[in-house]
């Protein structure tokens, strides 16, 4: 099972490598929806994250601009990103390929006991597989950042996209129950269309949102979108105003509640 997860991270790394292979300098410099980051910075971020996991020390570097940084994690990420702005996109991609090949070799050499070792991850502590699951998700999210910035849609189907959708899906009870907090008895249905997606039906009970076995015929509110919108909203790349104005999200039922939910879908904060 653990090596199947390694297969997923190899797949998303290969997808990124192929996507970026022939970028022009202008494409590398294209701004993305991550504040302050261009396409090249997305790859630099992934390089820096995997360097950390290889135990490589962070460069002694002070970023020129941190006005878009929100927290300590963002600050440490910015050091690794800004340091690589002295290089070309082609050079950063070469480093990405080198680092991910080394990481893949280390992951392939791990045993099931290694994968079971409790390890820190962005959500706390857990087996190493929890950290690997986050890394797969993170790489796919940043791949989608690049694709949206350059208008090159792709990798919205297959096992990596399914993995990313599953992690986002798991967060929706938290979004509805803990962030929006509608009244008990409220039913919320997310309909995510595409090769990867599905129905997420939730019912409020005792101040918490619980999954339902099937969507009710007439939910309090239904939110319909595709995987791109589901991902962009849940990672804070798009605002509710943007997604609703351009038709990326359709709301049926209680519109005011639906708008509140869309506005709170970012579970990354």
């Amino acid at each position: 099972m653990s090596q199947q997860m390694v297969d997923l991270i190899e797949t998303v790394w290969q997808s990124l490598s192929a996507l970026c292979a022939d970028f022009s300098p202008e494409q590398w410099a294209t701004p993305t929806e991550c504040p302050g980051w261009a396409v090249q910075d997305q790859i630099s971020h992934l390089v820096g994250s995997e360097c950390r996991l290889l135990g490589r020390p962070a460069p002694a570097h002070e970023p020129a601009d941190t006005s878009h940084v929100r927290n300590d994690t963002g600050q440490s990420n910015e050091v690794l990103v800004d340091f690589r702005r002295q290089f070309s996109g082609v050079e950063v991609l070469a480093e990405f390929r080198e680092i991910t090949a080394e990481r893949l070799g280390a992951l392939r050499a791990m045993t099931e006991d290694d994968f079971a070792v409790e390890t820190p991850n962005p959500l706390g502590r857990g087996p190493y597989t929890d950290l690997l699951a986050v890394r797969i998700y993170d790489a796919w999210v940043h791949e989608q950042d690049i694709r949206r910035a350059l208008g090159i849609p792709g990798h919205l189907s297959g096992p990596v996209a399914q993995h990313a959708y599953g992690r986002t899906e798991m967060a929706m009870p938290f979004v509805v129950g803990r962030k929006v907090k509608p009244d008990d008895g409220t039913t919320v249905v997310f309909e995510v269309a595409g090769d990867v997606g599905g129905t997420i039906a939730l019912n409020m009970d005792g101040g918490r949102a619980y999954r339902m076995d099937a969507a009710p015929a007439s939910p309090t509110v239904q939110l319909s979108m595709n995987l791109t919108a589901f991902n962009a909203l849940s990672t804070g790349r798009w605002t509710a105003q943007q997604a609703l104005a351009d038709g990326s999200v359709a709301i049926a039922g209680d519109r005011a509640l639906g708008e509140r939910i869309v506005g709170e879908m970012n579970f990354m904060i």
Side-chain angles (χ1 to χ4, degrees):
M1 182 64 180
S2 299
Q3 286 299 328
Q4 290 175 347
M5 293 185 68
V6 179
D7 292 342
L8 294 185
I9 203 162
E10 180 177 18
T11 296
V12 69
W13 285 342
Q14 288 176 342
S15 183
L16 277 158
S17 179
L19 171 65
C20 301
D22 298 315
F23 282 173
S24 66
E26 292 76 21
Q27 286 175 305
W28 282 115
T30 299
T32 71
E33 292 162 342
C34 287
W37 285 8
V39 166
Q40 176 174 321
D41 299 327
Q42 299 278 349
I43 299 298
S44 294
H45 163 64
L46 294 173
V47 170
S49 295
E50 299 307 326
C51 280
R52 279 199 199 104
L53 293 174
L54 285 170
R56 297 190 181 186
H61 178 75
E62 187 69 30
D65 177 15
T66 58
S67 59
H68 54 283
V69 173
R70 299 180 181 180
N71 50 42
D72 290 343
T73 299
Q75 177 67 31
S76 62
N77 286 337
E78 199 63 27
V79 169
L80 301 171
V81 167
D82 190 66
F83 172 76
R84 288 175 170 81
R85 290 186 177 128
Q86 64 186 298
F87 306 119
S88 69
V90 171
E91 290 171 314
V92 171
L93 180 60
E95 186 183 13
F96 173 78
R97 289 169 171 166
E98 173 206 339
I99 292 299
T100 55
E102 185 173 347
R103 278 280 289 143
L104 188 61
L107 290 167
R108 291 295 186 199
M110 290 176 67
T111 66
E112 287 301 318
D113 286 344
D114 294 329
F115 283 112
V117 172
E118 189 166 296
T119 307
N121 66 63
L123 303 178
R125 294 186 64 86
Y128 193 92
T129 48
D130 287 357
L131 173 61
L132 187 55
V134 172
R135 298 304 313 132
I136 296 163
Y137 175 75
D138 188 56
W140 182 84
V141 165
H142 290 294
E143 178 185 354
Q144 295 306 312
D145 289 335
I146 293 170
R147 289 184 178 279
R148 286 196 306 277
L150 296 176
I152 309 174
H155 208 179
L156 294 169
S157 62
V160 175
Q162 187 65 57
H163 171 86
Y165 169 74
R167 293 192 68 81
T168 307
E169 177 190 30
M170 287 190 300
M172 290 306 104
F174 165 77
V175 166
V176 173
R178 300 294 182 88
K179 297 182 74 178
V180 180
K181 302 177 182 177
D183 294 337
D184 282 0
T186 298
T187 52
V188 177
V189 172
F190 294 86
E191 288 287 356
V192 182
D195 293 337
V196 170
T199 301
I200 308 165
L202 305 172
N203 177 55
M204 286 296 297
D205 184 21
R208 298 184 63 181
Y210 293 93
R211 292 180 179 274
M212 305 173 71
D213 293 334
S218 299
T220 307
V221 64
Q222 178 173 305
L223 307 170
S224 300
M225 66 197 80
N226 62 20
L227 181 60
T228 294
F230 192 55
N231 166 55
L233 285 164
S234 66
T235 54
R237 288 358 183 215
W238 292 359
T239 65
Q241 292 79 6
Q242 173 186 352
L244 293 167
D246 68 13
S248 296
V249 177
I251 300 176
D254 187 335
R255 184 165 187 88
L257 174 59
E259 290 179 355
R260 285 172 54 206
I261 293 170
V262 175
E264 295 289 352
M265 276 182 64
N266 181 9
F267 67 91
M268 305 297 287
I269 294 178

